[in-house]
PDB file of all heavy atoms in Angstrom:
ATOM      1  N   ILE A  94      89.782  93.868  82.710  1.00 92.00           N
ATOM      2  CA  ILE A  94      90.670  93.597  83.859  1.00 92.00           C
ATOM      3  C   ILE A  94      91.242  94.879  84.388  1.00 92.00           C
ATOM      4  O   ILE A  94      91.752  95.737  83.610  1.00 92.00           O
ATOM      5  CB  ILE A  94      91.826  92.674  83.415  1.00 92.00           C
ATOM      6  CG1 ILE A  94      91.260  91.315  82.948  1.00 92.00           C
ATOM      7  CG2 ILE A  94      92.812  92.474  84.560  1.00 92.00           C
ATOM      8  CD1 ILE A  94      92.289  90.350  82.348  1.00 92.00           C
ATOM      9  N   ALA A  95      91.172  95.096  85.680  1.00 94.00           N
ATOM     10  CA  ALA A  95      91.637  96.330  86.329  1.00 94.00           C
ATOM     11  C   ALA A  95      92.974  96.066  87.022  1.00 94.00           C
ATOM     12  O   ALA A  95      93.255  94.918  87.416  1.00 94.00           O
ATOM     13  CB  ALA A  95      90.611  96.869  87.311  1.00 94.00           C
ATOM     14  N   LEU A  96      93.760  97.112  87.144  1.00 95.00           N
ATOM     15  CA  LEU A  96      95.077  96.997  87.791  1.00 95.00           C
ATOM     16  C   LEU A  96      95.157  98.051  88.920  1.00 95.00           C
ATOM     17  O   LEU A  96      94.507  99.094  88.883  1.00 95.00           O
ATOM     18  CB  LEU A  96      96.218  97.216  86.781  1.00 95.00           C
ATOM     19  CG  LEU A  96      96.380  96.238  85.671  1.00 95.00           C
ATOM     20  CD1 LEU A  96      95.500  96.640  84.471  1.00 95.00           C
ATOM     21  CD2 LEU A  96      97.828  96.166  85.221  1.00 95.00           C
ATOM     22  N   ALA A  97      96.043  97.742  89.868  1.00 95.00           N
ATOM     23  CA  ALA A  97      96.325  98.659  90.961  1.00 95.00           C
ATOM     24  C   ALA A  97      97.532  98.167  91.718  1.00 95.00           C
ATOM     25  O   ALA A  97      97.970  96.991  91.480  1.00 95.00           O
ATOM     26  CB  ALA A  97      95.131  98.788  91.933  1.00 95.00           C
ATOM     27  N   PRO A  98      98.159  98.978  92.549  1.00 95.00           N
ATOM     28  CA  PRO A  98      99.265  98.455  93.379  1.00 95.00           C
ATOM     29  C   PRO A  98      98.867  97.182  94.113  1.00 95.00           C
ATOM     30  O   PRO A  98      97.835  97.148  94.767  1.00 95.00           O
ATOM     31  CB  PRO A  98      99.540  99.605  94.347  1.00 95.00           C
ATOM     32  CG  PRO A  98      99.146 100.824  93.546  1.00 95.00           C
ATOM     33  CD  PRO A  98      97.939 100.387  92.807  1.00 95.00           C
ATOM     34  N   GLY A  99      99.674  96.141  93.961  1.00 89.00           N
ATOM     35  CA  GLY A  99      99.279  94.803  94.478  1.00 89.00           C
ATOM     36  C   GLY A  99      99.485  94.625  95.965  1.00 89.00           C
ATOM     37  O   GLY A  99     100.453  95.067  96.578  1.00 89.00           O
ATOM     38  N   MET A 100      98.481  93.932  96.584  1.00 85.00           N
ATOM     39  CA  MET A 100      98.668  93.498  97.934  1.00 85.00           C
ATOM     40  C   MET A 100      99.708  92.406  98.008  1.00 85.00           C
ATOM     41  O   MET A 100      99.807  91.559  97.149  1.00 85.00           O
ATOM     42  CB  MET A 100      97.293  92.954  98.458  1.00 85.00           C
ATOM     43  CG  MET A 100      96.199  93.990  98.535  1.00 85.00           C
ATOM     44  SD  MET A 100      96.550  95.195  99.835  1.00 85.00           S
ATOM     45  CE  MET A 100      96.425  94.219 101.291  1.00 85.00           C
ATOM     46  N   GLY A 101     100.501  92.404  98.999  1.00 82.00           N
ATOM     47  CA  GLY A 101     101.630  91.495  99.076  1.00 82.00           C
ATOM     48  C   GLY A 101     102.880  92.185  98.652  1.00 82.00           C
ATOM     49  O   GLY A 101     103.889  92.214  99.343  1.00 82.00           O
ATOM     50  N   LEU A 102     102.814  92.741  97.440  1.00 89.00           N
ATOM     51  CA  LEU A 102     103.951  93.523  96.938  1.00 89.00           C
ATOM     52  C   LEU A 102     104.167  94.768  97.749  1.00 89.00           C
ATOM     53  O   LEU A 102     105.268  95.219  98.017  1.00 89.00           O
ATOM     54  CB  LEU A 102     103.742  93.813  95.442  1.00 89.00           C
ATOM     55  CG  LEU A 102     103.923  92.665  94.528  1.00 89.00           C
ATOM     56  CD1 LEU A 102     103.220  92.895  93.192  1.00 89.00           C
ATOM     57  CD2 LEU A 102     105.383  92.376  94.292  1.00 89.00           C
ATOM     58  N   ASN A 103     103.039  95.399  98.145  1.00 93.00           N
ATOM     59  CA  ASN A 103     103.177  96.615  99.000  1.00 93.00           C
ATOM     60  C   ASN A 103     103.652  96.275 100.404  1.00 93.00           C
ATOM     61  O   ASN A 103     104.401  97.014 100.980  1.00 93.00           O
ATOM     62  CB  ASN A 103     101.861  97.404  99.045  1.00 93.00           C
ATOM     63  CG  ASN A 103     100.642  96.606  99.504  1.00 93.00           C
ATOM     64  OD1 ASN A 103     100.802  95.450  99.895  1.00 93.00           O
ATOM     65  ND2 ASN A 103      99.497  97.213  99.477  1.00 93.00           N
ATOM     66  N   ALA A 104     103.217  95.075 100.901  1.00 90.00           N
ATOM     67  CA  ALA A 104     103.686  94.619 102.193  1.00 90.00           C
ATOM     68  C   ALA A 104     105.163  94.320 102.134  1.00 90.00           C
ATOM     69  O   ALA A 104     105.913  94.626 103.069  1.00 90.00           O
ATOM     70  CB  ALA A 104     102.908  93.410 102.634  1.00 90.00           C
ATOM     71  N   PHE A 105     105.645  93.706 101.079  1.00 90.00           N
ATOM     72  CA  PHE A 105     107.067  93.388 100.879  1.00 90.00           C
ATOM     73  C   PHE A 105     107.855  94.740 100.838  1.00 90.00           C
ATOM     74  O   PHE A 105     108.905  94.846 101.495  1.00 90.00           O
ATOM     75  CB  PHE A 105     107.277  92.604  99.615  1.00 90.00           C
ATOM     76  CG  PHE A 105     108.759  92.470  99.295  1.00 90.00           C
ATOM     77  CD1 PHE A 105     109.568  91.632 100.018  1.00 90.00           C
ATOM     78  CD2 PHE A 105     109.300  93.128  98.188  1.00 90.00           C
ATOM     79  CE1 PHE A 105     110.918  91.502  99.723  1.00 90.00           C
ATOM     80  CE2 PHE A 105     110.618  93.006  97.834  1.00 90.00           C
ATOM     81  CZ  PHE A 105     111.437  92.162  98.597  1.00 90.00           C
ATOM     82  N   PHE A 106     107.326  95.682 100.076  1.00 94.00           N
ATOM     83  CA  PHE A 106     107.962  97.030  99.965  1.00 94.00           C
ATOM     84  C   PHE A 106     108.140  97.637 101.341  1.00 94.00           C
ATOM     85  O   PHE A 106     109.206  98.106 101.679  1.00 94.00           O
ATOM     86  CB  PHE A 106     107.107  97.881  99.063  1.00 94.00           C
ATOM     87  CG  PHE A 106     107.600  99.279  98.823  1.00 94.00           C
ATOM     88  CD1 PHE A 106     108.155  99.607  97.581  1.00 94.00           C
ATOM     89  CD2 PHE A 106     107.541 100.293  99.807  1.00 94.00           C
ATOM     90  CE1 PHE A 106     108.654 100.890  97.370  1.00 94.00           C
ATOM     91  CE2 PHE A 106     108.005 101.523  99.542  1.00 94.00           C
ATOM     92  CZ  PHE A 106     108.554 101.851  98.340  1.00 94.00           C
ATOM     93  N   ALA A 107     107.082  97.676 102.125  1.00 94.00           N
ATOM     94  CA  ALA A 107     107.067  98.388 103.402  1.00 94.00           C
ATOM     95  C   ALA A 107     107.731  97.626 104.515  1.00 94.00           C
ATOM     96  O   ALA A 107     108.618  98.183 105.208  1.00 94.00           O
ATOM     97  CB  ALA A 107     105.622  98.725 103.765  1.00 94.00           C
ATOM     98  N   TYR A 108     107.322  96.415 104.718  1.00 90.00           N
ATOM     99  CA  TYR A 108     107.741  95.689 105.922  1.00 90.00           C
ATOM    100  C   TYR A 108     109.074  94.913 105.755  1.00 90.00           C
ATOM    101  O   TYR A 108     109.814  94.734 106.740  1.00 90.00           O
ATOM    102  CB  TYR A 108     106.634  94.700 106.354  1.00 90.00           C
ATOM    103  CG  TYR A 108     105.458  95.419 106.880  1.00 90.00           C
ATOM    104  CD1 TYR A 108     104.378  95.782 106.029  1.00 90.00           C
ATOM    105  CD2 TYR A 108     105.336  95.769 108.230  1.00 90.00           C
ATOM    106  CE1 TYR A 108     103.278  96.485 106.515  1.00 90.00           C
ATOM    107  CE2 TYR A 108     104.213  96.475 108.703  1.00 90.00           C
ATOM    108  CZ  TYR A 108     103.233  96.800 107.859  1.00 90.00           C
ATOM    109  OH  TYR A 108     102.144  97.520 108.333  1.00 90.00           O
ATOM    110  N   THR A 109     109.367  94.462 104.541  1.00 89.00           N
ATOM    111  CA  THR A 109     110.690  93.769 104.362  1.00 89.00           C
ATOM    112  C   THR A 109     111.752  94.732 103.908  1.00 89.00           C
ATOM    113  O   THR A 109     112.821  94.814 104.532  1.00 89.00           O
ATOM    114  CB  THR A 109     110.501  92.641 103.301  1.00 89.00           C
ATOM    115  OG1 THR A 109     109.522  91.701 103.777  1.00 89.00           O
ATOM    116  CG2 THR A 109     111.806  91.941 103.073  1.00 89.00           C
ATOM    117  N   VAL A 110     111.503  95.504 102.827  1.00 93.00           N
ATOM    118  CA  VAL A 110     112.542  96.357 102.259  1.00 93.00           C
ATOM    119  C   VAL A 110     112.824  97.558 103.105  1.00 93.00           C
ATOM    120  O   VAL A 110     113.992  97.794 103.528  1.00 93.00           O
ATOM    121  CB  VAL A 110     112.120  96.784 100.828  1.00 93.00           C
ATOM    122  CG1 VAL A 110     113.203  97.695 100.222  1.00 93.00           C
ATOM    123  CG2 VAL A 110     111.858  95.603  99.920  1.00 93.00           C
ATOM    124  N   VAL A 111     111.774  98.284 103.473  1.00 94.00           N
ATOM    125  CA  VAL A 111     112.019  99.512 104.242  1.00 94.00           C
ATOM    126  C   VAL A 111     112.211  99.241 105.734  1.00 94.00           C
ATOM    127  O   VAL A 111     113.207  99.630 106.336  1.00 94.00           O
ATOM    128  CB  VAL A 111     110.786 100.500 104.068  1.00 94.00           C
ATOM    129  CG1 VAL A 111     110.994 101.738 104.947  1.00 94.00           C
ATOM    130  CG2 VAL A 111     110.667 100.927 102.577  1.00 94.00           C
ATOM    131  N   LEU A 112     111.312  98.506 106.358  1.00 92.00           N
ATOM    132  CA  LEU A 112     111.372  98.251 107.782  1.00 92.00           C
ATOM    133  C   LEU A 112     112.455  97.212 108.116  1.00 92.00           C
ATOM    134  O   LEU A 112     113.186  97.362 109.080  1.00 92.00           O
ATOM    135  CB  LEU A 112     110.028  97.802 108.332  1.00 92.00           C
ATOM    136  CG  LEU A 112     109.864  97.699 109.846  1.00 92.00           C
ATOM    137  CD1 LEU A 112     110.096  99.042 110.486  1.00 92.00           C
ATOM    138  CD2 LEU A 112     108.522  97.132 110.185  1.00 92.00           C
ATOM    139  N   GLY A 113     112.486  96.132 107.348  1.00 89.00           N
ATOM    140  CA  GLY A 113     113.416  95.052 107.622  1.00 89.00           C
ATOM    141  C   GLY A 113     114.855  95.325 107.210  1.00 89.00           C
ATOM    142  O   GLY A 113     115.793  95.193 108.015  1.00 89.00           O
ATOM    143  N   TYR A 114     115.049  95.694 105.949  1.00 90.00           N
ATOM    144  CA  TYR A 114     116.384  95.976 105.432  1.00 90.00           C
ATOM    145  C   TYR A 114     116.886  97.388 105.741  1.00 90.00           C
ATOM    146  O   TYR A 114     118.086  97.634 105.671  1.00 90.00           O
ATOM    147  CB  TYR A 114     116.463  95.788 103.900  1.00 90.00           C
ATOM    148  CG  TYR A 114     116.168  94.397 103.442  1.00 90.00           C
ATOM    149  CD1 TYR A 114     115.798  94.159 102.091  1.00 90.00           C
ATOM    150  CD2 TYR A 114     116.249  93.287 104.257  1.00 90.00           C
ATOM    151  CE1 TYR A 114     115.563  92.886 101.638  1.00 90.00           C
ATOM    152  CE2 TYR A 114     116.002  92.041 103.849  1.00 90.00           C
ATOM    153  CZ  TYR A 114     115.635  91.802 102.510  1.00 90.00           C
ATOM    154  OH  TYR A 114     115.407  90.548 102.022  1.00 90.00           O
ATOM    155  N   GLY A 115     115.969  98.271 106.113  1.00 93.00           N
ATOM    156  CA  GLY A 115     116.406  99.655 106.398  1.00 93.00           C
ATOM    157  C   GLY A 115     116.691 100.447 105.157  1.00 93.00           C
ATOM    158  O   GLY A 115     117.461 101.403 105.213  1.00 93.00           O
ATOM    159  N   ILE A 116     116.142  99.998 103.971  1.00 94.00           N
ATOM    160  CA  ILE A 116     116.356 100.695 102.738  1.00 94.00           C
ATOM    161  C   ILE A 116     115.385 101.847 102.644  1.00 94.00           C
ATOM    162  O   ILE A 116     114.175 101.676 102.834  1.00 94.00           O
ATOM    163  CB  ILE A 116     116.176  99.726 101.548  1.00 94.00           C
ATOM    164  CG1 ILE A 116     117.270  98.635 101.602  1.00 94.00           C
ATOM    165  CG2 ILE A 116     116.239 100.442 100.209  1.00 94.00           C
ATOM    166  CD1 ILE A 116     117.065  97.554 100.544  1.00 94.00           C
ATOM    167  N   PRO A 117     115.839 103.063 102.341  1.00 95.00           N
ATOM    168  CA  PRO A 117     114.928 104.198 102.188  1.00 95.00           C
ATOM    169  C   PRO A 117     113.854 103.930 101.165  1.00 95.00           C
ATOM    170  O   PRO A 117     114.134 103.263 100.148  1.00 95.00           O
ATOM    171  CB  PRO A 117     115.850 105.339 101.748  1.00 95.00           C
ATOM    172  CG  PRO A 117     117.201 104.970 102.273  1.00 95.00           C
ATOM    173  CD  PRO A 117     117.240 103.465 102.145  1.00 95.00           C
ATOM    174  N   TRP A 118     112.718 104.483 101.357  1.00 96.00           N
ATOM    175  CA  TRP A 118     111.597 104.218 100.404  1.00 96.00           C
ATOM    176  C   TRP A 118     111.910 104.744  99.023  1.00 96.00           C
ATOM    177  O   TRP A 118     111.434 104.207  97.988  1.00 96.00           O
ATOM    178  CB  TRP A 118     110.277 104.827 100.937  1.00 96.00           C
ATOM    179  CG  TRP A 118     110.291 106.322 101.158  1.00 96.00           C
ATOM    180  CD1 TRP A 118     110.501 106.940 102.358  1.00 96.00           C
ATOM    181  CD2 TRP A 118     110.050 107.344 100.209  1.00 96.00           C
ATOM    182  NE1 TRP A 118     110.415 108.305 102.158  1.00 96.00           N
ATOM    183  CE2 TRP A 118     110.125 108.599 100.871  1.00 96.00           C
ATOM    184  CE3 TRP A 118     109.755 107.348  98.808  1.00 96.00           C
ATOM    185  CZ2 TRP A 118     109.943 109.811 100.212  1.00 96.00           C
ATOM    186  CZ3 TRP A 118     109.596 108.566  98.168  1.00 96.00           C
ATOM    187  CH2 TRP A 118     109.694 109.779  98.883  1.00 96.00           C
ATOM    188  N   GLU A 119     112.752 105.793  98.948  1.00 96.00           N
ATOM    189  CA  GLU A 119     113.116 106.319  97.630  1.00 96.00           C
ATOM    190  C   GLU A 119     113.894 105.246  96.813  1.00 96.00           C
ATOM    191  O   GLU A 119     113.654 105.090  95.614  1.00 96.00           O
ATOM    192  CB  GLU A 119     113.983 107.546  97.778  1.00 96.00           C
ATOM    193  CG  GLU A 119     113.280 108.750  98.455  1.00 96.00           C
ATOM    194  CD  GLU A 119     113.484 108.756  99.954  1.00 96.00           C
ATOM    195  OE1 GLU A 119     113.826 107.676 100.527  1.00 96.00           O
ATOM    196  OE2 GLU A 119     113.340 109.828 100.562  1.00 96.00           O
ATOM    197  N   THR A 120     114.802 104.524  97.480  1.00 96.00           N
ATOM    198  CA  THR A 120     115.575 103.501  96.799  1.00 96.00           C
ATOM    199  C   THR A 120     114.666 102.298  96.497  1.00 96.00           C
ATOM    200  O   THR A 120     114.833 101.690  95.438  1.00 96.00           O
ATOM    201  CB  THR A 120     116.743 103.046  97.662  1.00 96.00           C
ATOM    202  OG1 THR A 120     117.518 104.192  98.095  1.00 96.00           O
ATOM    203  CG2 THR A 120     117.634 102.028  96.956  1.00 96.00           C
ATOM    204  N   ALA A 121     113.714 102.044  97.370  1.00 96.00           N
ATOM    205  CA  ALA A 121     112.801 100.908  97.095  1.00 96.00           C
ATOM    206  C   ALA A 121     111.936 101.242  95.871  1.00 96.00           C
ATOM    207  O   ALA A 121     111.695 100.347  95.054  1.00 96.00           O
ATOM    208  CB  ALA A 121     111.905 100.750  98.323  1.00 96.00           C
ATOM    209  N   LEU A 122     111.537 102.496  95.709  1.00 97.00           N
ATOM    210  CA  LEU A 122     110.778 102.867  94.507  1.00 97.00           C
ATOM    211  C   LEU A 122     111.652 102.685  93.248  1.00 97.00           C
ATOM    212  O   LEU A 122     111.132 102.305  92.202  1.00 97.00           O
ATOM    213  CB  LEU A 122     110.290 104.333  94.607  1.00 97.00           C
ATOM    214  CG  LEU A 122     109.122 104.602  95.507  1.00 97.00           C
ATOM    215  CD1 LEU A 122     108.807 106.104  95.539  1.00 97.00           C
ATOM    216  CD2 LEU A 122     107.884 103.828  95.033  1.00 97.00           C
ATOM    217  N   ALA A 123     112.950 102.984  93.363  1.00 97.00           N
ATOM    218  CA  ALA A 123     113.832 102.769  92.251  1.00 97.00           C
ATOM    219  C   ALA A 123     113.899 101.296  91.875  1.00 97.00           C
ATOM    220  O   ALA A 123     113.986 100.934  90.708  1.00 97.00           O
ATOM    221  CB  ALA A 123     115.231 103.284  92.592  1.00 97.00           C
ATOM    222  N   GLY A 124     113.809 100.426  92.898  1.00 96.00           N
ATOM    223  CA  GLY A 124     113.795  99.003  92.655  1.00 96.00           C
ATOM    224  C   GLY A 124     112.533  98.568  91.934  1.00 96.00           C
ATOM    225  O   GLY A 124     112.537  97.734  91.014  1.00 96.00           O
ATOM    226  N   VAL A 125     111.386  99.172  92.304  1.00 96.00           N
ATOM    227  CA  VAL A 125     110.130  98.923  91.599  1.00 96.00           C
ATOM    228  C   VAL A 125     110.243  99.345  90.173  1.00 96.00           C
ATOM    229  O   VAL A 125     109.812  98.620  89.222  1.00 96.00           O
ATOM    230  CB  VAL A 125     108.979  99.668  92.296  1.00 96.00           C
ATOM    231  CG1 VAL A 125     107.690  99.447  91.507  1.00 96.00           C
ATOM    232  CG2 VAL A 125     108.770  99.121  93.708  1.00 96.00           C
ATOM    233  N   LEU A 126     110.842 100.534  89.938  1.00 97.00           N
ATOM    234  CA  LEU A 126     111.001 101.035  88.561  1.00 97.00           C
ATOM    235  C   LEU A 126     111.871 100.085  87.733  1.00 97.00           C
ATOM    236  O   LEU A 126     111.554  99.774  86.577  1.00 97.00           O
ATOM    237  CB  LEU A 126     111.641 102.427  88.590  1.00 97.00           C
ATOM    238  CG  LEU A 126     111.990 103.066  87.247  1.00 97.00           C
ATOM    239  CD1 LEU A 126     110.747 103.215  86.393  1.00 97.00           C
ATOM    240  CD2 LEU A 126     112.706 104.393  87.468  1.00 97.00           C
ATOM    241  N   ALA A 127     112.954  99.612  88.337  1.00 96.00           N
ATOM    242  CA  ALA A 127     113.850  98.704  87.630  1.00 96.00           C
ATOM    243  C   ALA A 127     113.087  97.402  87.276  1.00 96.00           C
ATOM    244  O   ALA A 127     113.232  96.915  86.129  1.00 96.00           O
ATOM    245  CB  ALA A 127     115.048  98.363  88.522  1.00 96.00           C
ATOM    246  N   SER A 128     112.291  96.884  88.185  1.00 94.00           N
ATOM    247  CA  SER A 128     111.532  95.673  87.898  1.00 94.00           C
ATOM    248  C   SER A 128     110.526  95.917  86.733  1.00 94.00           C
ATOM    249  O   SER A 128     110.335  95.061  85.906  1.00 94.00           O
ATOM    250  CB  SER A 128     110.803  95.169  89.143  1.00 94.00           C
ATOM    251  OG  SER A 128     109.722  96.008  89.494  1.00 94.00           O
ATOM    252  N   GLY A 129     109.917  97.097  86.754  1.00 94.00           N
ATOM    253  CA  GLY A 129     109.014  97.437  85.685  1.00 94.00           C
ATOM    254  C   GLY A 129     109.640  97.501  84.337  1.00 94.00           C
ATOM    255  O   GLY A 129     109.104  97.035  83.307  1.00 94.00           O
ATOM    256  N   LEU A 130     110.805  98.092  84.280  1.00 95.00           N
ATOM    257  CA  LEU A 130     111.564  98.231  83.036  1.00 95.00           C
ATOM    258  C   LEU A 130     112.016  96.846  82.523  1.00 95.00           C
ATOM    259  O   LEU A 130     111.947  96.555  81.325  1.00 95.00           O
ATOM    260  CB  LEU A 130     112.785  99.138  83.236  1.00 95.00           C
ATOM    261  CG  LEU A 130     112.511 100.615  83.511  1.00 95.00           C
ATOM    262  CD1 LEU A 130     113.795 101.342  83.849  1.00 95.00           C
ATOM    263  CD2 LEU A 130     111.806 101.258  82.308  1.00 95.00           C
ATOM    264  N   ILE A 131     112.440  95.993  83.431  1.00 93.00           N
ATOM    265  CA  ILE A 131     112.793  94.634  83.104  1.00 93.00           C
ATOM    266  C   ILE A 131     111.569  93.879  82.550  1.00 93.00           C
ATOM    267  O   ILE A 131     111.683  93.122  81.576  1.00 93.00           O
ATOM    268  CB  ILE A 131     113.395  93.878  84.294  1.00 93.00           C
ATOM    269  CG1 ILE A 131     114.734  94.532  84.728  1.00 93.00           C
ATOM    270  CG2 ILE A 131     113.639  92.401  83.979  1.00 93.00           C
ATOM    271  CD1 ILE A 131     115.278  94.013  86.031  1.00 93.00           C
ATOM    272  N   PHE A 132     110.446  94.125  83.194  1.00 89.00           N
ATOM    273  CA  PHE A 132     109.219  93.506  82.730  1.00 89.00           C
ATOM    274  C   PHE A 132     108.911  93.857  81.289  1.00 89.00           C
ATOM    275  O   PHE A 132     108.476  93.001  80.510  1.00 89.00           O
ATOM    276  CB  PHE A 132     108.005  93.962  83.606  1.00 89.00           C
ATOM    277  CG  PHE A 132     107.741  93.067  84.773  1.00 89.00           C
ATOM    278  CD1 PHE A 132     107.347  93.580  85.999  1.00 89.00           C
ATOM    279  CD2 PHE A 132     107.858  91.690  84.658  1.00 89.00           C
ATOM    280  CE1 PHE A 132     107.057  92.757  87.046  1.00 89.00           C
ATOM    281  CE2 PHE A 132     107.604  90.826  85.722  1.00 89.00           C
ATOM    282  CZ  PHE A 132     107.197  91.380  86.925  1.00 89.00           C
ATOM    283  N   ILE A 133     109.096  95.120  80.953  1.00 91.00           N
ATOM    284  CA  ILE A 133     108.774  95.577  79.611  1.00 91.00           C
ATOM    285  C   ILE A 133     109.694  94.862  78.595  1.00 91.00           C
ATOM    286  O   ILE A 133     109.218  94.374  77.560  1.00 91.00           O
ATOM    287  CB  ILE A 133     108.946  97.096  79.471  1.00 91.00           C
ATOM    288  CG1 ILE A 133     107.862  97.831  80.258  1.00 91.00           C
ATOM    289  CG2 ILE A 133     108.934  97.534  78.028  1.00 91.00           C
ATOM    290  CD1 ILE A 133     107.958  99.290  80.298  1.00 91.00           C
ATOM    291  N   VAL A 134     110.969  94.752  78.934  1.00 91.00           N
ATOM    292  CA  VAL A 134     111.907  94.066  78.030  1.00 91.00           C
ATOM    293  C   VAL A 134     111.522  92.591  77.883  1.00 91.00           C
ATOM    294  O   VAL A 134     111.486  92.054  76.786  1.00 91.00           O
ATOM    295  CB  VAL A 134     113.337  94.203  78.553  1.00 91.00           C
ATOM    296  CG1 VAL A 134     114.302  93.357  77.727  1.00 91.00           C
ATOM    297  CG2 VAL A 134     113.778  95.680  78.549  1.00 91.00           C
ATOM    298  N   LEU A 135     111.239  91.959  79.016  1.00 87.00           N
ATOM    299  CA  LEU A 135     110.915  90.536  78.987  1.00 87.00           C
ATOM    300  C   LEU A 135     109.595  90.274  78.253  1.00 87.00           C
ATOM    301  O   LEU A 135     109.405  89.280  77.540  1.00 87.00           O
ATOM    302  CB  LEU A 135     110.789  89.961  80.399  1.00 87.00           C
ATOM    303  CG  LEU A 135     112.075  89.952  81.240  1.00 87.00           C
ATOM    304  CD1 LEU A 135     111.773  89.414  82.639  1.00 87.00           C
ATOM    305  CD2 LEU A 135     113.110  89.061  80.556  1.00 87.00           C
ATOM    306  N   THR A 136     108.673  91.242  78.352  1.00 84.00           N
ATOM    307  CA  THR A 136     107.362  91.088  77.683  1.00 84.00           C
ATOM    308  C   THR A 136     107.531  91.268  76.192  1.00 84.00           C
ATOM    309  O   THR A 136     107.014  90.457  75.357  1.00 84.00           O
ATOM    310  CB  THR A 136     106.372  92.108  78.207  1.00 84.00           C
ATOM    311  OG1 THR A 136     106.161  91.916  79.609  1.00 84.00           O
ATOM    312  CG2 THR A 136     105.035  92.017  77.472  1.00 84.00           C
ATOM    313  N   LEU A 137     108.253  92.302  75.754  1.00 86.00           N
ATOM    314  CA  LEU A 137     108.446  92.576  74.342  1.00 86.00           C
ATOM    315  C   LEU A 137     109.278  91.494  73.612  1.00 86.00           C
ATOM    316  O   LEU A 137     109.077  91.233  72.431  1.00 86.00           O
ATOM    317  CB  LEU A 137     109.164  93.931  74.154  1.00 86.00           C
ATOM    318  CG  LEU A 137     108.337  95.157  74.583  1.00 86.00           C
ATOM    319  CD1 LEU A 137     109.177  96.428  74.423  1.00 86.00           C
ATOM    320  CD2 LEU A 137     107.017  95.263  73.784  1.00 86.00           C
ATOM    321  N   THR A 138     110.174  90.811  74.369  1.00 85.00           N
ATOM    322  CA  THR A 138     110.984  89.766  73.782  1.00 85.00           C
ATOM    323  C   THR A 138     110.334  88.378  73.883  1.00 85.00           C
ATOM    324  O   THR A 138     110.864  87.413  73.324  1.00 85.00           O
ATOM    325  CB  THR A 138     112.384  89.724  74.451  1.00 85.00           C
ATOM    326  OG1 THR A 138     112.200  89.503  75.860  1.00 85.00           O
ATOM    327  CG2 THR A 138     113.134  90.986  74.254  1.00 85.00           C
TER     328      THR A 138
END
């Protein structure tokens, strides 16, 4: 099974978070990082 940045998630990042909410892409990346860290905790538990 291969992985890569997901379609849909990238559209949400660009068109909703950055373009719609006006959130800088740097902050949006921080949100992605937070979700990844939460994922790790939820997976391990």
Side-chain angles (χ1 to χ4, degrees):
I94 298 175
L96 296 87
M100 294 292 293
L102 287 159
N103 57 3
F105 172 70
F106 182 106
Y108 290 90
T109 299
V110 180
V111 176
L112 188 63
Y114 296 162
I116 295 174
W118 59 264
E119 297 92 339
T120 307
L122 283 178
V125 175
L126 175 60
S128 71
L130 293 173
I131 295 171
F132 268 143
I133 290 178
V134 174
L135 294 178
T136 300
L137 293 177
T138 58

